[in-house]
Amino acid sequence: EDQVTQSPEALRLQEGESSSLNCSYTVSGLRGLFWYRQDPGKGPEFLFTLYSAGEEKEKERLKATLTKKESFLHITAPKPEDSATYLCAVQDGQNFVFGPGTRLSVLP
Amino acid sequence: NAGVTQTPKFQVLKTGQSMTLQCAQDMNHEYMSWYRQDPGMGLRLIHYSVGAGITDQGEVPNGYNVSRSTTEDFPLRLLSAAPSQTSVYFCASSPRQGNGYTFGSGTRLTVV
């Protein structure tokens, strides 16, 4: 059975304090790993897709990396506007499974 | 560009009532899907469609029906609402399955 877990469940950072979020997955055949950002009361917003181990994608202060069993979302020098819940999801064939998310708070 | 539009934003139903959640996209996306989001459980796929006239079940399809008569619209029907269907429902679309989704803003449904 496909599984996606995310850690930590919640993370509180000071502005400028870099850190990483983890997404671990168990799938039989990974076709893609996706990162989304979700603000309270809104739908998820697409950030990145990673397809193979070793791949990296960057967008502003965010960088996503992928290994055979996990993905990391690195946040460099975060700002308060980066506060949100970050979701990862994996695609295995027709199946698309989301993790529960990491709730990030960046304090000024 | 409106993107993905969901209506209504909020709805309260009594147990046993039926209703339709509306979803429309103006990006000419072939792939559309419905998810429900519950605290601590992540988004779970209810139904999806890879194109007009084609639909299939996701992880949690029981109690829900869908149809896709046009590329733009993908309504979700609750046949006989139950308290277990209290959730936030999101519609999403993408050019094809496997691309990043564009999500709507959600419908918060409460069944009493």
Side-chain angles (χ1 to χ4, degrees), chain B:
Chain B
N1 253 357
V4 178
T5 302
Q6 290 185 239
T7 56
K9 293 190 182 301
F10 301 94
Q11 183 70 50
V12 179
L13 288 179
K14 293 183 178 179
T15 298
Q17 285 185 316
S18 63
M19 79 160 295
T20 299
L21 307 185
Q22 301 291 344
C23 175
Q25 53 92 6
D26 61 358
M27 298 169 286
N28 202 32
H29 285 173
E30 289 297 320
Y31 184 84
M32 295 186 75
S33 56
W34 277 101
Y35 285 86
R36 60 179 288 173
Q37 187 173 39
D38 301 293
M41 298 192 71
L43 287 152
R44 291 182 292 167
L45 181 63
I46 304 171
H47 285 285
Y48 66 94
S49 169
V50 298
I54 306 169
T55 63
D56 206 346
Q57 296 180 351
E59 178 186 357
V60 289
N62 292 341
Y64 308 96
N65 271 357
V66 293
S67 60
R68 184 97 179 267
S69 57
T70 67
T71 298
E72 294 78 21
D73 299 298
F74 191 44
L76 178 72
R77 297 182 187 85
L78 278 69
L79 308 174
S80 177
S84 60
Q85 293 179 305
T86 294
S87 187
V88 181
Y89 292 84
F90 288 101
C91 179
S93 74
S94 67
R96 61 179 184 275
Q97 194 174 28
N99 289 133
Y101 291 151
T102 299
F103 280 85
S105 57
T107 295
R108 185 173 295 274
L109 175 68
T110 302
V111 183
V112 298

Side-chain angles (χ1 to χ4, degrees), chain A residues 34 36 38 41-44 46 51 87 91 94 96 98-99, chain B residues 35 37 40 42-43 48 90 97-101 103-105:
Chain A
F34 304 80
Y36 291 84
Q38 186 174 23
K42 296 189 176 181
F46 172 69
Y51 293 104
L87 307 173
Q91 184 185 6
Q94 298 282 5
F96 209 95
F98 278 84
Chain B
Y35 285 86
Q37 187 173 39
L43 287 152
Y48 66 94
F90 288 101
Q97 194 174 28
N99 289 133
Y101 291 151
F103 280 85
S105 57

Side-chain angles (χ1 to χ4, degrees), chain A residues 2 4 6 17 20 22-23 26-27 30-31 34 42 45 57 65 72 74-75 77 80 90-92 95 99 105-106 108:
Chain A
D2 297 339
V4 180
Q6 292 187 246
E17 180 186 0
S20 297
N22 176 266
C23 171
T26 305
V27 296
L30 181 70
R31 292 184 61 182
F34 304 80
K42 296 189 176 181
E45 176 188 347
K57 293 273 180 74
T65 62
F72 291 94
H74 307 279
I75 303 175
V90 296
Q91 184 185 6
D92 173 16
N95 196 19
S105 300
V106 182

